[in-house]
Amino acid sequence: MTLPSRVKLVDVGPRDGLQNEKQAVPATVKIELVHRLQAAGLKEIEVTSFVSPKWVPQMADNAEVMAGIQRQAGVRYSVLTPNMQGYQAAVHSKPDEIVVFAAASEAFSQKNINCSIEESIQRFAPVVEAARAAGIYVRGAMSCVVGCPYEGEVAPLQVGRLAQLMKSIGVQHVGVADTIGVGTPLKVKAAMEATLQHYDVNDVSGHFHDTYGQALSNTLASLELGVWQFDTSVAGLGGCPYAKGATGNVATEDVVYMLHGMGIDTGIDLDKLVDAGAFISDFLQRKSGSRVATAILNKRLG
Ligand code: HMG
Ligand code: MG
């Protein structure tokens, strides 16, 4: 077993993290968070989503946030686009990457984007085509790959089927997402393996919510398959408004600590990352969801 020597992390905190906040987070705070993440060495940041403000009011300031970011050379900024309307709004903000998002379970597809899996693919097809023609990279998120809040267990077969559909419309990279954080290593491996039947290992990433505390183990299980790209969220922010009870993504700080401890390079400065997490946790008046950040902050106090 050879583990990757380098891992790329996409911090999805500004989007996945803040989409689920009850309190209003001003655009200035979101922009500052993005600046702090790039200062910490993040090279990929999922900034916002161009979804319906009726469905997710927290992301209504999408264009303002994108316009307010001082872009750093070498950093890529991505946004979610559920349909052509979202893509057309997003394109003015010049994202480096767009994300179409589908689910491996029918019920979650209906609850989250108000259509069936098949309909979602039909909806994404022109978005993918337009983005690729404009030179914008297209990632696909596949939700509920091991479990669904409405349907329960999700079989690897369903994940493989979705990966195949994503491939058929030209999605370049897919994220294997445990939306509600119920996965355990062998189940996550099975979902990954089903995806790897359709996508090269270099075009697959893991996106693990940490609801049941399994996300680091699931990350390690994926590394063992050669997967080297992961979505993580500073301070463990996150959740999906249409996946009640699910907590945040695995904390970026926790993943960085684990990887550095294994001699795997991320290009991220853990101390600066902890500062970025402290900034947003202070704003939200909440303790960080990262065990590593908590330990480092305690140690700093002496
Ligand atoms: P719909 O209501 O079926 O849409 O929603 P519609 O096409 O019938 O349009 C209805 C209204 O929405 C119209 O406005 C449209 O203009 C407007 P009205 O005439 O009533 O005033 N509309 C839009 N407005 C802004 N931007 C748009 C847009 N599209 C339509 N793009 C829709 C369908 C997909 C829009 C809706 O269900 C939606 O926005 N869903 C997004 C839900 C969401 O953002 N969930 C969280 C992100 S996914 C996630 O977190 C999982 C992930 O992290 C991976 C994982 O963990 O699994 C990625
Ligand atoms: Mg998510």
Side-chain angles (χ1 to χ4, degrees), residues 60-107:
D61 57 3
N62 42 32
E64 188 185 348
V65 173
M66 284 296 279
I69 295 168
Q70 285 178 15
R71 297 196 187 195
Q72 195 173 291
V75 178
R76 299 175 71 252
Y77 305 88
S78 55
V79 302
L80 267 58
T81 54
N83 54 17
M84 209 56 198
Q85 189 175 337
Y87 172 74
Q88 277 159 354
V91 81
H92 298 293
S93 298
K94 301 198 178 345
D96 298 293
E97 181 171 310
I98 57 144
V99 186
V100 292
F101 48 106
S105 96
E106 279 297 345

Short mmCIF file of all heavy atoms in Angstrom, two decimals, residues 60-107:
data_model
loop_
_atom_site.label_atom_id
_atom_site.label_comp_id
_atom_site.label_asym_id
_atom_site.label_seq_id
_atom_site.Cartn_x
_atom_site.Cartn_y
_atom_site.Cartn_z
N ALA A 60 -27.36 34.24 -0.52
CA ALA A 60 -27.93 35.26 -1.42
C ALA A 60 -26.91 36.34 -1.80
O ALA A 60 -27.08 37.02 -2.80
CB ALA A 60 -29.15 35.90 -0.76
N ASP A 61 -25.86 36.46 -0.99
CA ASP A 61 -24.84 37.49 -1.27
C ASP A 61 -23.71 36.95 -2.16
O ASP A 61 -22.59 37.47 -2.16
CB ASP A 61 -24.26 38.02 0.05
CG ASP A 61 -23.67 36.91 0.92
OD1 ASP A 61 -23.65 35.73 0.47
OD2 ASP A 61 -23.22 37.20 2.03
N ASN A 62 -24.02 35.87 -2.90
CA ASN A 62 -22.98 35.20 -3.70
C ASN A 62 -22.13 36.14 -4.57
O ASN A 62 -20.89 36.10 -4.50
CB ASN A 62 -23.61 34.08 -4.55
CG ASN A 62 -24.93 34.48 -5.18
OD1 ASN A 62 -25.14 35.64 -5.50
ND2 ASN A 62 -25.83 33.52 -5.34
N ALA A 63 -22.78 37.00 -5.36
CA ALA A 63 -22.03 37.85 -6.28
C ALA A 63 -21.18 38.87 -5.51
O ALA A 63 -20.04 39.16 -5.89
CB ALA A 63 -22.99 38.57 -7.23
N GLU A 64 -21.74 39.37 -4.42
CA GLU A 64 -21.02 40.36 -3.60
C GLU A 64 -19.75 39.74 -3.00
O GLU A 64 -18.68 40.36 -2.99
CB GLU A 64 -21.96 40.83 -2.48
CG GLU A 64 -21.43 41.98 -1.68
CD GLU A 64 -22.35 42.33 -0.50
OE1 GLU A 64 -23.50 41.83 -0.43
OE2 GLU A 64 -21.89 43.09 0.38
N VAL A 65 -19.88 38.51 -2.53
CA VAL A 65 -18.73 37.83 -1.93
C VAL A 65 -17.66 37.58 -3.00
O VAL A 65 -16.49 37.89 -2.81
CB VAL A 65 -19.15 36.51 -1.24
CG1 VAL A 65 -17.93 35.73 -0.76
CG2 VAL A 65 -20.08 36.80 -0.06
N MET A 66 -18.08 37.07 -4.14
CA MET A 66 -17.11 36.80 -5.21
C MET A 66 -16.41 38.09 -5.65
O MET A 66 -15.21 38.09 -5.91
CB MET A 66 -17.81 36.13 -6.40
CG MET A 66 -18.14 34.66 -6.20
SD MET A 66 -16.66 33.61 -6.00
CE MET A 66 -16.15 33.38 -7.71
N ALA A 67 -17.19 39.18 -5.72
CA ALA A 67 -16.59 40.45 -6.18
C ALA A 67 -15.63 41.04 -5.14
O ALA A 67 -14.70 41.76 -5.48
CB ALA A 67 -17.70 41.46 -6.49
N GLY A 68 -15.86 40.71 -3.87
CA GLY A 68 -15.06 41.31 -2.80
C GLY A 68 -13.73 40.62 -2.54
O GLY A 68 -12.88 41.14 -1.83
N ILE A 69 -13.54 39.45 -3.11
CA ILE A 69 -12.31 38.70 -2.83
C ILE A 69 -11.13 39.26 -3.60
O ILE A 69 -11.23 39.48 -4.80
CB ILE A 69 -12.50 37.21 -3.23
CG1 ILE A 69 -13.56 36.57 -2.36
CG2 ILE A 69 -11.20 36.44 -3.12
CD1 ILE A 69 -14.00 35.21 -2.90
N GLN A 70 -10.05 39.47 -2.89
CA GLN A 70 -8.80 39.82 -3.59
C GLN A 70 -8.13 38.52 -3.97
O GLN A 70 -7.60 37.81 -3.11
CB GLN A 70 -7.90 40.63 -2.66
CG GLN A 70 -8.41 42.05 -2.52
CD GLN A 70 -7.57 42.88 -1.57
OE1 GLN A 70 -6.46 42.52 -1.21
NE2 GLN A 70 -8.14 44.00 -1.16
N ARG A 71 -8.21 38.21 -5.24
CA ARG A 71 -7.72 36.90 -5.68
C ARG A 71 -6.20 36.81 -5.62
O ARG A 71 -5.51 37.76 -5.95
CB ARG A 71 -8.22 36.60 -7.08
CG ARG A 71 -9.73 36.53 -7.10
CD ARG A 71 -10.23 35.88 -8.34
NE ARG A 71 -11.69 36.02 -8.34
CZ ARG A 71 -12.48 35.32 -9.13
NH1 ARG A 71 -11.98 34.45 -9.98
NH2 ARG A 71 -13.78 35.50 -9.07
N GLN A 72 -5.77 35.65 -5.21
CA GLN A 72 -4.34 35.40 -5.10
C GLN A 72 -3.94 34.46 -6.23
O GLN A 72 -4.66 33.48 -6.50
CB GLN A 72 -4.11 34.72 -3.74
CG GLN A 72 -2.69 34.69 -3.27
CD GLN A 72 -2.62 34.15 -1.85
OE1 GLN A 72 -3.07 34.80 -0.88
NE2 GLN A 72 -2.11 32.95 -1.70
N ALA A 73 -2.83 34.76 -6.87
CA ALA A 73 -2.36 33.91 -7.98
C ALA A 73 -2.16 32.48 -7.47
O ALA A 73 -1.65 32.28 -6.36
CB ALA A 73 -1.05 34.45 -8.53
N GLY A 74 -2.60 31.53 -8.26
CA GLY A 74 -2.40 30.12 -7.87
C GLY A 74 -3.53 29.56 -7.03
O GLY A 74 -3.54 28.37 -6.73
N VAL A 75 -4.48 30.41 -6.64
CA VAL A 75 -5.62 29.92 -5.85
C VAL A 75 -6.82 29.80 -6.79
O VAL A 75 -7.04 30.67 -7.64
CB VAL A 75 -5.96 30.86 -4.67
CG1 VAL A 75 -7.17 30.36 -3.91
CG2 VAL A 75 -4.76 31.00 -3.75
N ARG A 76 -7.57 28.72 -6.65
CA ARG A 76 -8.75 28.51 -7.48
C ARG A 76 -10.01 28.67 -6.63
O ARG A 76 -10.06 28.19 -5.50
CB ARG A 76 -8.70 27.13 -8.15
CG ARG A 76 -7.46 27.01 -9.07
CD ARG A 76 -7.30 25.63 -9.67
NE ARG A 76 -8.32 25.36 -10.67
CZ ARG A 76 -9.33 24.54 -10.51
NH1 ARG A 76 -9.48 23.87 -9.38
NH2 ARG A 76 -10.20 24.36 -11.47
N TYR A 77 -10.99 29.35 -7.21
CA TYR A 77 -12.22 29.67 -6.48
C TYR A 77 -13.40 28.98 -7.17
O TYR A 77 -13.63 29.19 -8.37
CB TYR A 77 -12.43 31.19 -6.46
CG TYR A 77 -11.23 31.93 -5.91
CD1 TYR A 77 -10.19 32.33 -6.75
CD2 TYR A 77 -11.10 32.20 -4.54
CE1 TYR A 77 -9.06 32.98 -6.26
CE2 TYR A 77 -9.98 32.85 -4.04
CZ TYR A 77 -8.96 33.24 -4.90
OH TYR A 77 -7.85 33.87 -4.40
N SER A 78 -14.15 28.18 -6.41
CA SER A 78 -15.27 27.45 -7.01
C SER A 78 -16.60 27.88 -6.41
O SER A 78 -16.66 28.40 -5.28
CB SER A 78 -15.08 25.94 -6.84
OG SER A 78 -14.89 25.63 -5.49
N VAL A 79 -17.66 27.65 -7.19
CA VAL A 79 -19.02 27.99 -6.74
C VAL A 79 -19.99 26.89 -7.19
O VAL A 79 -19.77 26.24 -8.21
CB VAL A 79 -19.51 29.34 -7.31
CG1 VAL A 79 -18.57 30.48 -6.92
CG2 VAL A 79 -19.69 29.31 -8.82
N LEU A 80 -21.06 26.72 -6.44
CA LEU A 80 -22.08 25.73 -6.81
C LEU A 80 -23.10 26.35 -7.77
O LEU A 80 -23.52 27.49 -7.58
CB LEU A 80 -22.82 25.24 -5.56
CG LEU A 80 -22.27 23.97 -4.90
CD1 LEU A 80 -20.81 24.13 -4.49
CD2 LEU A 80 -23.12 23.54 -3.72
N THR A 81 -23.49 25.57 -8.77
CA THR A 81 -24.50 26.02 -9.73
C THR A 81 -25.48 24.86 -9.98
O THR A 81 -25.10 23.86 -10.59
CB THR A 81 -23.84 26.42 -11.08
OG1 THR A 81 -23.05 25.31 -11.54
CG2 THR A 81 -22.95 27.63 -10.95
N PRO A 82 -26.73 24.98 -9.53
CA PRO A 82 -27.65 23.85 -9.66
C PRO A 82 -28.36 23.76 -11.00
O PRO A 82 -28.97 22.74 -11.31
CB PRO A 82 -28.68 24.13 -8.56
CG PRO A 82 -28.73 25.62 -8.47
CD PRO A 82 -27.32 26.09 -8.78
N ASN A 83 -28.30 24.86 -11.76
CA ASN A 83 -29.04 24.90 -13.03
C ASN A 83 -28.48 26.02 -13.90
O ASN A 83 -27.55 26.72 -13.49
CB ASN A 83 -30.54 25.09 -12.76
CG ASN A 83 -30.81 26.32 -11.87
OD1 ASN A 83 -29.96 27.18 -11.72
ND2 ASN A 83 -31.98 26.39 -11.28
N MET A 84 -29.07 26.19 -15.08
CA MET A 84 -28.58 27.20 -16.04
C MET A 84 -28.71 28.61 -15.46
O MET A 84 -27.82 29.45 -15.67
CB MET A 84 -29.38 27.05 -17.34
CG MET A 84 -28.63 27.45 -18.56
SD MET A 84 -27.07 26.55 -18.75
CE MET A 84 -26.27 27.61 -19.90
N GLN A 85 -29.79 28.83 -14.72
CA GLN A 85 -29.97 30.16 -14.12
C GLN A 85 -28.82 30.49 -13.16
O GLN A 85 -28.29 31.60 -13.15
CB GLN A 85 -31.32 30.20 -13.38
CG GLN A 85 -31.70 31.60 -12.92
CD GLN A 85 -33.09 31.64 -12.30
OE1 GLN A 85 -33.93 30.78 -12.57
NE2 GLN A 85 -33.35 32.62 -11.47
N GLY A 86 -28.45 29.49 -12.37
CA GLY A 86 -27.33 29.66 -11.44
C GLY A 86 -26.02 29.85 -12.18
O GLY A 86 -25.19 30.69 -11.81
N TYR A 87 -25.84 29.08 -13.24
CA TYR A 87 -24.59 29.20 -14.02
C TYR A 87 -24.48 30.60 -14.63
O TYR A 87 -23.43 31.24 -14.57
CB TYR A 87 -24.53 28.13 -15.11
CG TYR A 87 -23.35 28.34 -16.03
CD1 TYR A 87 -22.06 28.06 -15.61
CD2 TYR A 87 -23.52 28.90 -17.30
CE1 TYR A 87 -20.95 28.31 -16.43
CE2 TYR A 87 -22.44 29.15 -18.13
CZ TYR A 87 -21.16 28.86 -17.70
OH TYR A 87 -20.08 29.11 -18.50
N GLN A 88 -25.60 31.06 -15.22
CA GLN A 88 -25.56 32.37 -15.88
C GLN A 88 -25.27 33.50 -14.88
O GLN A 88 -24.59 34.46 -15.21
CB GLN A 88 -26.86 32.62 -16.64
CG GLN A 88 -26.80 31.95 -18.01
CD GLN A 88 -28.16 31.69 -18.62
OE1 GLN A 88 -29.19 31.91 -17.99
NE2 GLN A 88 -28.17 31.20 -19.85
N ALA A 89 -25.77 33.34 -13.66
CA ALA A 89 -25.47 34.34 -12.63
C ALA A 89 -24.01 34.21 -12.18
O ALA A 89 -23.34 35.21 -11.96
CB ALA A 89 -26.41 34.15 -11.44
N ALA A 90 -23.54 32.97 -12.07
CA ALA A 90 -22.19 32.72 -11.54
C ALA A 90 -21.11 33.20 -12.49
O ALA A 90 -20.06 33.66 -12.06
CB ALA A 90 -22.01 31.23 -11.27
N VAL A 91 -21.36 33.08 -13.78
CA VAL A 91 -20.30 33.29 -14.76
C VAL A 91 -19.75 34.73 -14.72
O VAL A 91 -18.57 34.96 -14.94
CB VAL A 91 -20.79 32.85 -16.17
CG1 VAL A 91 -21.63 33.88 -16.86
CG2 VAL A 91 -19.64 32.39 -17.03
N HIS A 92 -20.60 35.67 -14.32
CA HIS A 92 -20.15 37.07 -14.19
C HIS A 92 -19.09 37.21 -13.10
O HIS A 92 -18.29 38.14 -13.12
CB HIS A 92 -21.34 37.99 -13.85
CG HIS A 92 -22.38 38.00 -14.92
ND1 HIS A 92 -22.15 38.52 -16.17
CD2 HIS A 92 -23.65 37.52 -14.94
CE1 HIS A 92 -23.24 38.37 -16.91
NE2 HIS A 92 -24.16 37.76 -16.18
N SER A 93 -19.12 36.30 -12.14
CA SER A 93 -18.17 36.34 -11.02
C SER A 93 -16.85 35.66 -11.37
O SER A 93 -15.97 35.58 -10.53
CB SER A 93 -18.76 35.66 -9.79
OG SER A 93 -19.91 36.30 -9.36
N LYS A 94 -16.76 35.13 -12.58
CA LYS A 94 -15.54 34.48 -13.05
C LYS A 94 -14.98 33.40 -12.10
O LYS A 94 -13.84 33.50 -11.64
CB LYS A 94 -14.46 35.52 -13.34
CG LYS A 94 -14.86 36.56 -14.39
CD LYS A 94 -13.65 37.26 -14.93
CE LYS A 94 -13.90 38.28 -16.01
NZ LYS A 94 -15.18 38.31 -16.68
N PRO A 95 -15.77 32.39 -11.81
CA PRO A 95 -15.22 31.30 -10.99
C PRO A 95 -14.23 30.47 -11.81
O PRO A 95 -14.34 30.41 -13.04
CB PRO A 95 -16.47 30.46 -10.67
CG PRO A 95 -17.41 30.72 -11.79
CD PRO A 95 -17.15 32.13 -12.26
N ASP A 96 -13.27 29.86 -11.14
CA ASP A 96 -12.34 28.96 -11.84
C ASP A 96 -12.98 27.61 -12.06
O ASP A 96 -12.57 26.85 -12.93
CB ASP A 96 -11.07 28.76 -10.99
CG ASP A 96 -10.34 30.07 -10.79
OD1 ASP A 96 -9.83 30.60 -11.78
OD2 ASP A 96 -10.32 30.57 -9.65
N GLU A 97 -13.97 27.32 -11.23
CA GLU A 97 -14.58 26.00 -11.27
C GLU A 97 -16.04 26.13 -10.84
O GLU A 97 -16.35 26.91 -9.94
CB GLU A 97 -13.81 25.11 -10.29
CG GLU A 97 -14.27 23.69 -10.19
CD GLU A 97 -13.28 22.86 -9.35
OE1 GLU A 97 -12.07 22.90 -9.60
OE2 GLU A 97 -13.75 22.18 -8.43
N ILE A 98 -16.90 25.36 -11.48
CA ILE A 98 -18.28 25.29 -10.99
C ILE A 98 -18.56 23.88 -10.51
O ILE A 98 -17.90 22.92 -10.94
CB ILE A 98 -19.31 25.70 -12.07
CG1 ILE A 98 -19.17 24.82 -13.31
CG2 ILE A 98 -19.24 27.18 -12.40
CD1 ILE A 98 -20.48 24.52 -13.96
N VAL A 99 -19.54 23.78 -9.63
CA VAL A 99 -19.89 22.48 -9.07
C VAL A 99 -21.37 22.22 -9.32
O VAL A 99 -22.23 23.00 -8.89
CB VAL A 99 -19.63 22.44 -7.54
CG1 VAL A 99 -19.87 21.04 -6.99
CG2 VAL A 99 -18.22 22.92 -7.21
N VAL A 100 -21.65 21.14 -10.05
CA VAL A 100 -23.04 20.68 -10.15
C VAL A 100 -23.22 19.62 -9.08
O VAL A 100 -22.28 18.90 -8.76
CB VAL A 100 -23.37 20.13 -11.57
CG1 VAL A 100 -23.34 21.25 -12.60
CG2 VAL A 100 -22.42 19.01 -11.99
N PHE A 101 -24.40 19.56 -8.48
CA PHE A 101 -24.54 18.64 -7.35
C PHE A 101 -25.78 17.78 -7.47
O PHE A 101 -26.89 18.26 -7.62
CB PHE A 101 -24.45 19.37 -6.00
CG PHE A 101 -25.31 20.61 -5.87
CD1 PHE A 101 -26.47 20.59 -5.10
CD2 PHE A 101 -24.94 21.80 -6.49
CE1 PHE A 101 -27.26 21.73 -4.95
CE2 PHE A 101 -25.72 22.95 -6.36
CZ PHE A 101 -26.88 22.90 -5.58
N ALA A 102 -25.52 16.48 -7.42
CA ALA A 102 -26.59 15.49 -7.54
C ALA A 102 -26.52 14.56 -6.33
O ALA A 102 -25.59 14.63 -5.54
CB ALA A 102 -26.39 14.69 -8.82
N ALA A 103 -27.50 13.67 -6.23
CA ALA A 103 -27.51 12.75 -5.10
C ALA A 103 -27.60 11.31 -5.58
O ALA A 103 -28.17 11.03 -6.64
CB ALA A 103 -28.70 13.07 -4.19
N ALA A 104 -27.03 10.42 -4.78
CA ALA A 104 -27.13 8.99 -5.08
C ALA A 104 -28.48 8.43 -4.62
O ALA A 104 -28.84 7.31 -4.96
CB ALA A 104 -25.98 8.23 -4.43
N SER A 105 -29.22 9.22 -3.85
CA SER A 105 -30.55 8.77 -3.41
C SER A 105 -31.63 9.68 -3.99
O SER A 105 -31.47 10.91 -4.02
CB SER A 105 -30.63 8.75 -1.88
OG SER A 105 -31.21 9.93 -1.39
N GLU A 106 -32.71 9.06 -4.46
CA GLU A 106 -33.80 9.81 -5.09
C GLU A 106 -34.42 10.82 -4.13
O GLU A 106 -34.70 11.95 -4.48
CB GLU A 106 -34.89 8.86 -5.60
CG GLU A 106 -34.60 8.21 -6.94
CD GLU A 106 -34.47 9.18 -8.12
OE1 GLU A 106 -34.88 10.35 -8.02
OE2 GLU A 106 -33.94 8.74 -9.15
N ALA A 107 -34.65 10.38 -2.89
CA ALA A 107 -35.36 11.24 -1.95
C ALA A 107 -34.55 12.50 -1.65
O ALA A 107 -35.10 13.60 -1.59
CB ALA A 107 -35.65 10.48 -0.65
#
